[in-house]
Amino acid sequence: MGCPPVVCLNADLQPTGEFGTPASAVRIRPDHWPAFADAVWMEITNAKDNPALAAMVDPLDQDRIDTEDEE
């Protein structure tokens, strides 16, 4: 059984229109995102390529953008 799909956001924090998986994406915490809202996801490569987006990565997923090249 595969990972459940997640809606991923782009660099403008808009839905990409494509689904990702928790294996290919990281959770982010944008400023002013409501605490009651669902988790927000972004493809790992997008978060790694942009320092401003990398700073939004949830602390629990931070190691995934720091060590992705080592896999």
Side-chain angles (χ1 to χ4, degrees):
M1 187 164 137
C3 294
V6 293
V7 175
C8 290
L9 302 184
N10 62 21
D12 297 320
L13 303 181
Q14 299 295 319
T16 62
E18 298 178 10
F19 291 103
T21 67
S24 67
V26 290
R27 290 165 291 193
I28 60 171
R29 294 181 175 216
D31 290 339
H32 309 294
W33 196 263
F36 57 84
D38 289 338
V40 183
W41 296 83
M42 178 171 286
E43 290 292 328
I44 292 171
T45 54
N46 291 341
K48 284 180 72 167
D49 292 343
N50 185 324
L53 297 174
M56 289 187 220
V57 173
D58 187 296
L60 296 174
D61 284 344
Q62 193 70 44
D63 64 315
R64 296 182 63 213
I65 63 168
D66 292 339
T67 61
E68 187 68 17
D69 292 334
E70 297 174 10
E71 291 183 3

